Amino acid sequence: MSRARILVVDSGLGGLSVAHAIRQQFPSVSMIYCADYAAFPYGDWAQNDLQDHLMGQISAWIEACQPDAVVIACNTASTLILPGLRAKFELPFVGTVPAIKPAAAITQTKMISVLATPGTVTRDYTHGLLREFARDIDVALVGSPNLAGLVEQWFLEGASPKLKAAIGDELEPCFKRASNGTQTDSIVLACTHFPLLKGLFQQLAPWPVHWLDPSTAIARQVGKVLGATGAVEGSGSFEVLSSQPGSEQRVQRVWEKLTAQSGSSLTDQG
Ligand code: DGL
């Protein structure tokens, strides 16, 4: 069997939620984690500027690393750049897009929220998913400008009551109650940073809901594309590249913390 090396790309720590699910399903796949800290956060970039930036930065990483597959572990980027990358490179790409279809299938109350970056909630791609799968559902699109940054702070600076309260404030608009008492029962985690703190989100929720985290499904898709190219083995290594030199070690430290709780799901974090 040939060796598989995959790139996992995000603006910062968020893609680690996807990398963690990949590592759980495929322990020996080698990953190169590409953190685009120089451009963090992607969420509030103007669409055209972000598109140009992503094409340049991701192309440079692909050309430098020559991977077997690329995982765009970021909703804000995937909903914008996947067609362009697929047209440019003959490589398998796996994207991360809002889990609106499974949320629409699971909701009992027909009230769901999509918690994402401001960029993702405005994308045509996201609105296409809503038209296709959620026509009969009351959907709250919650584009949080701060939450990805707060998740970074939680991991890099440590937890604090102030930070916990700020995270609670960002979650609050996801919880809707109609005049007849019907409530939101499903929340799509449409930014890869958010599953990293799913345990904390559960604690802060005013009532229990389904939290839709696509990481496991993305990891399954990675297995499929690697299987299709015959490359399903590797050395199990995890290297970090960053567009902001000096930030690699902190990503590596968070990765080690996440993977140290072996076998645990990220639901336990926070
Ligand atoms: N983790 C990214 C996502 O899935 C975006 C975070 C950001 O840079 O704003 O959308």
Side-chain angles (χ1 to χ4, degrees), residues 60-72:
W61 276 325
I62 291 172
E63 278 149 20
C65 302
Q66 299 291 316
D68 298 299
V70 180
V71 182
I72 306 299

Side-chain angles (χ1 to χ4, degrees), residues 5-37:
R5 232 158 50 107
I6 62 174
L7 288 191
V8 180
V9 181
D10 183 39
S11 56
L13 294 176
L16 293 181
S17 60
V18 176
H20 186 265
I22 296 171
R23 176 59 80 236
Q24 285 194 315
Q25 285 185 40
F26 306 103
S28 66
V29 161
S30 301
M31 286 189 262
I32 304 174
Y33 188 84
C34 301
D36 193 5
Y37 269 115

Side-chain angles (χ1 to χ4, degrees), residues 10-12 14-15 39-44 73-77 117 120 148 190-193:
D10 183 39
S11 56
F40 180 87
Y42 285 163
D44 34 4
C74 173
N75 293 260
T76 316
T117 65
T120 299
C191 167
T192 52
H193 279 72

Side-chain angles (χ1 to χ4, degrees), residues 223-241:
K224 275 189 201 153
V225 304
L226 291 178
T229 63
V232 290
E233 284 293 329
S235 66
S237 60
F238 187 86
E239 293 165 58
V240 180
L241 301 178

Side-chain angles (χ1 to χ4, degrees), residues 72-88:
I72 306 299
C74 173
N75 293 260
T76 316
S78 296
T79 50
L80 198 57
I81 198 71
L82 277 173
L85 288 171
R86 286 186 173 127
K88 184 168 174 187

Side-chain angles (χ1 to χ4, degrees), residues 86-107:
R86 286 186 173 127
K88 184 168 174 187
F89 294 98
E90 283 200 22
L91 265 177
F93 286 91
V94 177
T96 311
V97 298
I100 290 168
K101 185 181 176 186
I106 211 174
T107 180

